[in-house]
Structure formats: C-alpha cells, structure tokens
Amino acid sequence: MHGGDIYSHNKKVIDFSSNINPLGVMPELKEYLIKCFDEVSVYPDIKYRRLKKNIADYLNVEPSQVVAGNGAVEIINNFILFFDRVVVFTPCFSEYVLRAKALNKEVRKFKYDSNFEIAIEELKNNIRPKDLIILGNPNNPNGKRIDREVLINLAVITQEKGAFLMLDEAFYEFCPYDYDSIELLKNFDDICIIRAATKFFALPGIRLGYAKVSANWAERYKEIELPWSINSFADAATEIIFKNKDYIKKSKEYINEERQYMLNILSKIKNIVAYKTDANFILIKLLKYDEDFIYNRLLEKGILIRKCSNIDGLDKSYIRIAIKSREYNDLILKELIDILGE
Amino acid sequence: MHGGDIYSHNKKVIDFSSNINPLGVMPELKEYLIKCFDEVSVYPDIKYRRLKKNIADYLNVEPSQVVAGNGAVEIINNFILFFDRVVVFTPCFSEYVLRAKALNKEVRKFKYDSNFEIAIEELKNNIRPKDLIILGNPNNPNGKRIDREVLINLAVITQEKGAFLMLDEAFYEFCPYDYDSIELLKNFDDICIIRAATKFFALPGIRLGYAKVSANWAERYKEIELPWSINSFADAATEIIFKNKDYIKKSKEYINEERQYMLNILSKIKNIVAYKTDANFILIKLLKYDEDFIYNRLLEKGILIRKCSNIDGLDKSYIRIAIKSREYNDLILKELIDILGE
C-alpha cells in the first residue's frame, strides 16, 4: 500500500519507492541521542515543553500554536476526530481516506484535473460546515505545490463555509522557495499546516510530525491526543535537527539541482511523461508498458520503485520515483533509457 | 493528571509518582541501539515482522496473535474504535475513560468494592453485546491482581454476553507468579491482553506496548491501526530486552522482596492504611492529613508522590508511591514516619 517496503525483498535494493532526503541523517544527531540516551528511562514531558519550543522557533510561531504527533499521520488522524466529513482530491496520500474510514467518517472525493490543479468552483459549491479538507502541499504522488493565490483563495473559501483546511506539507522544505504557507495564512484560524522530520531530515524511523494551528485549536487538540505520543529520541532530536542551517541549505540546494537534472533527462526518454514537481519525487506516466513491467525490469537490476495503481485516481500506467544521490539517479535513468528508449 | 511529571518542578526530585522498574534500563540495550542507529533513516517495516516475532516468542504465542502500539495506551485507544461502549471499574487508569470520551463512546462505570474486588453479579446483569470491558490486572492505582477464578469467570461472562474483555497488564511481570493470563485464557477469542516495555523494562520513553489477541482480531486491528506507529528504536529493542532472562528474574525477585519490606514498615506507620499490592507501587489511605499536606511535606524533602484525588473513585485521602531502590524506599519511609508517627 505504501512505498518503502524494503523488507519484502530478499536481496538488498536501491529504494526509489520512499522519498527520503538523500543526504541522510545529519551526523551530529547520533552523538547527541547517545548523550541523551538515559531520557528513555523516564516518561517524556507530557506537555512536551522543550519540543514545542524548538518546533516553534523553527516554524517562527509560538509554542502555544504547535501540536506534535507520532509522525504526521497521527496528527491527521486526530484532527479527523473533530469533523463530520473528510474532503480530499485524488490522487493523494492514501492515509487521508484510510484514517477517515477507520474513524467512521464520511469521505467526499474530488479529482485533480489533468494538470493536478484544484477545481476551486466545484469545491466551493460542495463543501459544508464541519468538513475537513486535506490537501498535500506539495501533493503526493505528483509533487505539485498549490499556487500562492489558489492557496489564499482556498483559505478564504474554507473560512466562509465554516470548514477546516489541513495542509499536509511533509515535503515543504524540498520545494523551491516561493512562499511559507504558515506566514502566508497566519491570519486564518481554521487551518492546520503539518510538517515532519520524516522526509527532509531523513528520519522516518524516529516518528516526529508537527503542525502549526491557532492557539485555540492547540488547546482543543490536547483534549483528544494520546499521552506521551512522541518518544524520547524524537523529543531530544528537536534540540539538534532544526538548528543545523547548513544541512538545511545544502539539502534544499541539492534537491533543487537534482530535480532539474532528472526532469531534463526524463523529458528526453521516449514513451513517458514526467510531471513537473516541487518535491523530491517524480510521478511518471507510462505511454508504453505498464507499472508491473517497469517495476519487474528495474527490480531485476536491484532498483525498487513505487507502483501507483493502488493509489485512488491513478492506474497501471503510473510509477513514482524518488530523487536520490547522483550516482543512483544516473543508474535509474540509464535503466529507464534502456527499457524505453531515448 | 498523570504521574511522572518531573518537568514541572524546578529542582531535581526523587520520583515516586511514576512506577518504573528501579533496576533501570538493562545496560546492553544502549550499545545495541547505537549499533542499529542507522535504521532510523529508513521506514520501519510496516508489517513489523521482526518485532512481532520477538514479542510472540516472549509471550509464547504466534506472531499472528500479536498487535503492537506506540505505548499500551495506543492499543487501548484503537480497540475502543471497535465497540459501542466502554465499561470500567473505578478507580482505574484515567486513560480508559479519557480515550473513550475522545472517541465519542459511551462509558459505563462500576465501582470496585472496598477491597478492590469486582462485583461480578452486577457486571453480569449490566453488560451488553459490543461492550468493551477494560480492567487493569493488576489494577492501577491500587496494584491488586484479579484472582484466577474470578478472571476465568469474567472471560466466560464476557463471552456469553457477546462483549469483549481487555486486560491492561502493563505491570504483569512485577506480580508474584500465580498465573499467566495469556495461557489461562488462550481458548477465549474476544479477549485482548496488553503488556508493555514501559514499566518492567524501564523504557517509558521508547513507547512500546503490545498485546495478545486472537489471529482474527489481529487481522481486524490491521485495518484501523496507524502505519509505522512503532519507532525504529522500539522495533530494534525487541531484539534485546526479552532475551535477558537474568534481568527479568532479578527484577521480579527484587520487587517481590522490596514490596514485602515496604508493606511491612508501612503497616507500622500510624494513621495510614497501605493496600495489599501485586505490583511495584502502593496505594495508601491517609487517616490523618490529606494528599496536599503529605505531598508538600515530601516535596520539601525532594520527594515527588502521586496525589490521587483526580482519579475517579478516590479523594484527597489517598496517595500512591512507587517501589524504588532500597536507599530511596528507606528515605520515603523515614519521612512518612516523621510526618505521621510510628
């Protein structure tokens, strides 16, 4: 169902199916977590004061406006509890709908258009009070970011309708700088902007998601969140990861450059369309063969990609690949050229 | 609301308010987690095959009968989703009711009698199909274990009524050996027995709870659980913690001995009643003064205890203290004698 399932393969694979910062974990984190190891033997601060301060400083907001969770997905899950219906655009991250169903909520699906744009008028005419609209920004699996003006418009419409807007920005830092949604939408109350350590800080195993909400919503969130949902390693890591400005800058620059490099070469490969992306992954439409054929051919070469037919709104003619090291990127590009032609 | 809030005090305190194994984390765990550190940069196995195998071996069940969560409380939370109503006996761990309310479920409360026994007939006459009965075994805050025959009786009644029995056995390993509920109740389907690394393995910060359920229930649980809810450190720790039989034996023996030692001295202190306990903590009824008085007097000496008036079913005449090292135990006993007399 998800990418990153390297455990189902017997041999070691190069994992293009999960979208983790190819620069890897910043080296000083390991040393720091070893230093803090003994924190594991006491309960984390149930109010997570240190963690919220560190996140707030990074996001340039107040600690009272921060909520955190065991990965971004726990925050998504918990916010769904407040609402009657979840509204999504497909294709999108499958957990939006899965969590809504697990929590017995109604789901309303719209479709992105062929350029992955939101049909604003259709949305406006169909949303209701107490709807929770969840949008990936940039959206997974295609990587497109919502345009600044569209985003402001969405916030206005959401507010007028008495609904709530949740932006899943797990890939925020990979985007070319255009706007900071937290700054841009700071005057709107009924908005939750989620980010995470998972992708950009290459820490999927540490389980740390966080979000900026209004102080009022942060108070309401306290009533429904699970106690101690962030482990002591993730808690301690907030002392380190947000402060390494060099790592942050290098990662952004690397992905920017490599994204251009890959899109440029992909544009020359026959029988595919590579979608424009603002993230660290690329959705590809296959005009020849299907996902199984390409998946199996690449797996023979030790390369794991993401098939997309189990993503609502896509079919067997789509695959998704991550942006990785230049060496690995060259490898998958060469294999794709071998299979599809140049 | 909970014990263990050492972060709200400016000075360093000896924490008798949270109930963690005083032997502390087993030494070899740190070295092993350092060795496995790089796992943090990849997604945990979404099927948690290694983790379930290790837990299954420890519990002497099949991996297909194991569910796991971000602490025991996440498993409690997720099981509540399956049911219409949560049934508890008070006083108990406050999260049973808090999670039910957060998930908009009805709650039916019964009261333990003055010896913390379950009124079986009253329960039998009042439970309904699709009730989730949650019982601490041993129960927190008093530490009493359900008698073997009562437990079998509860399982039979639950089955007859079409309800579901959840045993929260977070303190299981601290109990004097009498029965293993997993073995004892293995022929009942609608039962979930939860345990955790938190207390006995002194790892509250690692966030690892697990439970034995029927293979059918484990399949249903997959549909509602959050993905990647166990972090990579907790996942890796299962390779180590369950296998150190010496640590497990020593911890059990230590608590057994120290529990007798403390209960013996407490029985001689004036103006209190210390309840018989099977766990690593002791509930005390104050016949003179109240929780605030004792709490403040002990805090002046750098000792933090658990006030109990915010626990449903108790009032300001109760406190709870953990069993810690002999040195610390002697310290709190001496202070209690100073305050209350011998």
Side-chain angles (χ1 to χ4, degrees):
Chain A
M1 182 56 91
H2 290 285
D5 184 13
I6 53 175
Y7 305 91
S8 290
H9 303 279
N10 288 324
K11 63 176 180 180
K12 204 163 161 56
V13 289
I14 302 170
D15 181 17
F16 278 86
S17 77
S18 70
N19 309 311
I20 304 301
N21 186 339
L23 271 62
V25 181
M26 58 181 74
E28 68 268 37
L29 181 63
K30 181 172 177 176
E31 200 184 331
Y32 187 74
L33 292 186
I34 293 170
K35 212 177 95 188
C36 299
F37 181 82
D38 287 350
E39 290 187 19
V40 78
S41 69
V42 290
Y43 272 98
D45 177 9
I46 200 164
K47 295 183 179 168
Y48 290 105
R49 280 162 277 212
R50 169 182 68 176
L51 175 131
K52 289 191 176 181
K53 172 74 168 61
N54 289 333
I55 293 169
D57 288 350
Y58 179 56
L59 300 180
N60 203 19
V61 300
E62 296 299 317
S64 62
Q65 299 172 315
V66 171
V67 299
N70 185 35
V73 69
E74 190 185 42
I75 303 175
I76 295 169
N77 181 75
N78 288 348
F79 259 93
I80 290 172
L81 288 173
F82 290 120
F83 299 95
D84 296 336
R85 189 172 74 154
V86 169
V87 176
V88 300
F89 277 76
T90 62
C92 63
F93 183 47
S94 57
E95 291 294 335
Y96 306 158
V97 170
L98 290 174
R99 297 321 304 159
K101 288 183 176 169
L103 298 173
N104 262 315
K105 301 290 182 175
E106 197 184 332
V107 175
R108 174 69 161 94
K109 294 179 194 169
F110 295 93
K111 278 193 198 317
Y112 285 107
D113 74 11
S114 57
N115 289 317
F116 291 99
E117 302 281 355
I118 291 165
I120 292 276
E121 281 306 308
E122 194 188 358
L123 180 69
K124 190 172 176 176
N125 293 333
N126 286 284
I127 57 171
R128 310 189 296 221
K130 299 218 70 180
D131 271 355
L132 172 65
I133 305 162
I134 310 179
L135 296 170
N137 187 39
N139 188 55
N140 183 359
N142 57 300
K144 189 183 184 309
R145 210 175 185 203
I146 302 168
D147 292 334
R148 178 197 288 253
E149 288 67 34
V150 174
L151 187 56
I152 295 172
N153 201 359
L154 278 168
V156 171
I157 291 169
T158 303
Q159 187 176 265
E160 284 172 2
K161 296 283 186 175
F164 190 97
L165 180 62
M166 170 175 277
L167 299 176
D168 175 0
E169 298 199 342
F171 298 96
Y172 170 76
E173 289 96 333
F174 292 116
C175 295
Y177 188 77
D178 178 33
Y179 62 79
D180 176 354
S181 45
I182 290 177
E183 173 64 22
L184 192 70
L185 305 176
K186 68 181 174 190
N187 295 324
F188 293 88
D189 261 356
D190 294 330
I191 285 183
C192 173
I193 298 170
I194 301 180
R195 295 180 187 167
T198 309
K199 314 288 185 176
F200 188 71
F201 295 101
L203 294 167
I206 214 165
R207 310 310 301 139
L208 176 62
Y210 42 89
K212 188 267 171 179
V213 292
S214 70
N216 279 340
W217 275 106
E219 281 302 314
R220 289 190 64 186
Y221 190 83
K222 286 177 188 166
E223 288 164 33
I224 57 131
E225 71 184 328
L226 285 165
W228 313 292
S229 70
I230 296 126
N231 68 79
S232 59
F233 300 105
D235 187 356
T238 64
E239 288 280 280
I240 294 293
I241 57 174
F242 305 129
K243 293 166 188 172
N244 187 338
K245 300 303 175 196
D246 187 51
Y247 173 93
I248 293 170
K249 186 162 171 284
K250 270 193 189 143
S251 299
K252 290 170 82 80
E253 285 172 359
Y254 175 78
I255 290 295
N256 256 307
E257 190 179 314
E258 208 61 18
R259 182 167 45 216
Q260 280 314 313
Y261 176 78
M262 287 188 80
L263 285 173
N264 185 38
I265 295 179
L266 286 166
S267 74
K268 295 171 188 161
I269 297 179
K270 274 193 199 159
N271 299 315
I272 62 167
V273 176
Y275 290 90
K276 190 187 165 307
T277 173
D278 300 300
N280 61 328
F281 53 84
I282 302 170
L283 181 69
I284 294 171
K285 166 114 180 132
L286 304 168
L287 307 177
K288 187 176 170 186
Y289 307 123
D290 66 4
E291 59 173 13
D292 296 314
F293 181 82
I294 303 291
Y295 178 92
N296 290 329
R297 282 288 296 268
L298 290 172
L299 199 56
E300 282 167 22
K301 304 287 182 175
I303 293 171
L304 183 66
I305 60 164
R306 177 70 157 94
K307 296 199 265 189
C308 293
S309 61
N310 69 0
I311 299 176
D312 192 354
L314 297 183
D315 58 32
K316 282 186 166 294
S317 68
Y318 293 88
I319 58 168
R320 194 194 65 198
I321 63 174
I323 296 171
K324 296 180 71 75
S325 69
R326 173 63 62 96
E327 184 196 354
Y328 285 164
N329 294 339
D330 279 340
L331 190 65
I332 196 171
L333 290 168
K334 178 187 160 296
E335 295 299 337
L336 287 172
I337 290 168
D338 276 0
I339 301 168
L340 292 152
E342 200 169 11
Chain B
M1 181 58 86
H2 289 284
D5 184 14
I6 54 175
Y7 306 91
S8 290
H9 304 279
N10 288 324
K11 64 175 179 180
K12 202 161 159 58
V13 290
I14 301 170
D15 181 19
F16 279 86
S17 77
S18 70
N19 308 314
I20 304 301
N21 186 340
L23 270 62
V25 181
M26 59 181 75
E28 68 268 35
L29 181 63
K30 182 172 177 175
E31 201 185 329
Y32 186 75
L33 293 185
I34 292 170
K35 212 177 94 188
C36 300
F37 181 82
D38 287 348
E39 290 187 19
V40 79
S41 68
V42 290
Y43 273 97
D45 176 9
I46 200 163
K47 294 183 180 169
Y48 289 106
R49 281 163 273 210
R50 169 182 67 176
L51 175 133
K52 289 190 177 182
K53 172 73 168 63
N54 288 332
I55 293 169
D57 288 348
Y58 179 55
L59 300 181
N60 203 18
V61 301
E62 295 300 317
S64 62
Q65 298 171 315
V66 170
V67 299
N70 186 35
V73 70
E74 191 185 41
I75 302 174
I76 296 170
N77 180 77
N78 288 349
F79 260 93
I80 290 173
L81 288 172
F82 290 120
F83 300 95
D84 295 336
R85 190 172 75 154
V86 170
V87 175
V88 300
F89 277 76
T90 64
C92 62
F93 183 47
S94 57
E95 291 294 336
Y96 307 157
V97 171
L98 289 174
R99 296 321 306 162
K101 287 184 176 168
L103 298 174
N104 263 315
K105 301 291 182 176
E106 198 185 332
V107 176
R108 174 69 160 92
K109 294 180 194 169
F110 295 92
K111 277 192 201 316
Y112 285 107
D113 74 12
S114 58
N115 289 317
F116 291 99
E117 302 281 356
I118 292 165
I120 292 274
E121 281 305 309
E122 194 188 357
L123 180 68
K124 190 173 176 176
N125 294 332
N126 285 283
I127 55 171
R128 309 189 297 222
K130 298 219 73 177
D131 272 356
L132 173 65
I133 306 163
I134 309 180
L135 296 171
N137 187 39
N139 189 54
N140 182 358
N142 57 299
K144 190 184 183 309
R145 207 176 190 204
I146 302 167
D147 291 334
R148 178 198 289 253
E149 288 67 33
V150 174
L151 188 56
I152 294 171
N153 202 357
L154 278 168
V156 171
I157 291 168
T158 303
Q159 187 176 265
E160 283 172 2
K161 296 282 186 176
F164 190 98
L165 180 62
M166 171 175 276
L167 299 176
D168 175 1
E169 298 199 343
F171 299 96
Y172 170 76
E173 289 95 334
F174 292 116
C175 295
Y177 188 77
D178 178 32
Y179 61 81
D180 176 355
S181 45
I182 290 176
E183 173 63 24
L184 193 67
L185 305 175
K186 68 180 174 190
N187 295 325
F188 293 88
D189 260 357
D190 294 331
I191 285 185
C192 172
I193 298 170
I194 302 180
R195 295 181 187 166
T198 309
K199 315 287 186 177
F200 187 71
F201 295 101
L203 293 168
I206 214 165
R207 312 309 301 137
L208 177 62
Y210 42 89
K212 188 267 170 178
V213 292
S214 70
N216 279 340
W217 275 106
E219 282 302 313
R220 290 191 63 187
Y221 190 83
K222 286 178 189 165
E223 287 164 31
I224 58 131
E225 71 183 329
L226 287 164
W228 312 292
S229 71
I230 295 126
N231 68 78
S232 58
F233 300 105
D235 186 357
T238 64
E239 288 279 280
I240 294 293
I241 57 173
F242 304 129
K243 294 167 188 174
N244 187 337
K245 300 302 175 196
D246 187 52
Y247 173 93
I248 293 170
K249 185 162 172 282
K250 269 192 189 144
S251 299
K252 290 170 82 80
E253 285 172 358
Y254 176 78
I255 290 294
N256 256 309
E257 189 179 314
E258 208 60 20
R259 182 167 46 216
Q260 281 313 313
Y261 176 78
M262 287 187 81
L263 286 174
N264 184 38
I265 295 180
L266 285 167
S267 73
K268 296 171 186 161
I269 297 177
K270 276 193 197 156
N271 299 312
I272 61 167
V273 176
Y275 291 89
K276 189 185 168 307
T277 174
D278 300 300
N280 62 328
F281 53 84
I282 302 170
L283 181 69
I284 294 171
K285 167 119 181 125
L286 305 167
L287 307 176
K288 187 178 170 185
Y289 307 123
D290 67 4
E291 60 174 11
D292 296 315
F293 181 83
I294 304 290
Y295 178 92
N296 290 327
R297 282 287 296 272
L298 289 173
L299 198 56
E300 283 167 22
K301 305 286 182 176
I303 293 170
L304 182 67
I305 60 164
R306 178 69 158 91
K307 298 199 265 189
C308 293
S309 62
N310 68 2
I311 299 176
D312 192 354
L314 297 183
D315 59 32
K316 281 185 166 296
S317 68
Y318 293 89
I319 58 169
R320 193 194 67 198
I321 63 173
I323 296 171
K324 296 180 70 76
S325 69
R326 174 63 62 93
E327 183 195 358
Y328 285 163
N329 294 340
D330 279 342
L331 191 66
I332 197 172
L333 290 168
K334 178 188 160 298
E335 295 300 336
L336 287 172
I337 290 168
D338 278 359
I339 301 166
L340 291 152
E342 200 168 11

